[in-house]
């Protein structure tokens, strides 16, 4: 049921965000405590503001009311993906070459499943991360199919 709601919401939201020159980053439908939340994350070059989120929320809410895909009460939240934005699509990895990221894999690569490093490249369905081990740098190549989850990571110097 949850996947159907996410897919339908993506289908309804995509034309709205495209019309506003925004990017649909992610949609999730989750239960937290007694409440259900339908979260829609949008972005644009330079970041989104509260007015962008408000406009998407109003238009998407109308579309969702027409289709009425969710039987229980829920909260619709439209927001920026934040500084630790999820990286899901191939285009996300290409776009954020040079950025610091966290990557978790389905299975170990060089004995590890979790990596923090700078995205060096994303080519031929392989992500190359430059990671630091104490004072030296090492490159790790991770096949896209082995990435369980990834997001941008904040660094403090």
């Amino acid at each position: 049921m949850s996947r159907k709601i996410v897919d339908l919401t993506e289908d309804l939201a995509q034309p709205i965000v495209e019309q506003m020159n925004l990017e649909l980053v992610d949609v999730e439908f989750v239960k937290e405590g007694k409440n259900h939340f339908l979260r829609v994350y949008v972005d644009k070059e330079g970041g989104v503001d509260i007015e962008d989120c408000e406009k998407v929320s109003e238009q998407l809410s109308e579309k969702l009311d027409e289709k009425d895909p969710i039987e229980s009460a829920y909260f619709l939240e439209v927001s920026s993906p934040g500084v630790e934005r999820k990286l899901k699509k191939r285009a996300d990895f290409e776009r954020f070459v040079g950025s610091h990221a966290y990557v978790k894999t389905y299975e170990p690569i060089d004995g590890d499943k979790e990596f923090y490093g700078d995205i060096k490249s994303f080519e031929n369905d392989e992500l190359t991360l430059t990671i630091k081990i104490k004072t030296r740098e090492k490159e790790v190549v991770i096949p896209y199919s082995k990435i369980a989850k990834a997001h941008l990571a904040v660094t403090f110097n």
Side-chain angles (χ1 to χ4, degrees), residues 102-115 149:
Y102 164 80
V103 179
K104 183 174 184 177
T105 58
Y106 289 112
E107 56 191 56
I109 295 174
D110 294 338
D112 290 312
K113 289 176 74 173
E114 295 184 89
F115 305 91
K149 64 181 173 178

Side-chain angles (χ1 to χ4, degrees), residues 10-101:
E10 286 175 348
D11 291 345
L12 294 173
Q14 192 64 48
I16 295 168
V17 299
E18 282 178 4
Q19 178 186 12
M20 296 175 60
N21 294 317
L22 302 174
E23 172 192 4
L24 180 62
V25 175
D26 196 17
V27 173
E28 60 184 20
F29 184 64
V30 295
K31 184 174 183 185
E32 295 177 359
K34 295 179 183 177
N35 298 314
H36 288 88
F37 294 88
L38 179 59
R39 293 192 176 114
V40 178
Y41 299 97
V42 296
D43 204 2
K44 69 179 178 187
E45 193 69 37
V48 292
D49 58 29
I50 191 75
E51 283 128 19
D52 293 324
C53 296
E54 193 174 290
K55 288 175 186 173
V56 172
S57 180
E58 287 172 5
Q59 292 180 47
L60 181 57
S61 183
E62 286 178 19
K63 297 288 184 191
L64 287 165
D65 287 347
E66 288 172 16
K67 297 284 184 185
D68 199 24
I70 304 171
E71 294 176 12
S72 61
Y74 66 95
F75 295 95
L76 173 62
E77 295 178 351
V78 178
S79 69
S80 158
V83 294
E84 291 202 336
R85 171 195 168 125
K86 288 181 185 176
L87 304 172
K88 297 179 86 174
K89 305 172 212 148
R90 289 167 173 85
D92 293 339
F93 292 100
E94 292 168 356
R95 176 178 172 190
F96 290 102
V97 166
S99 299
H100 196 69

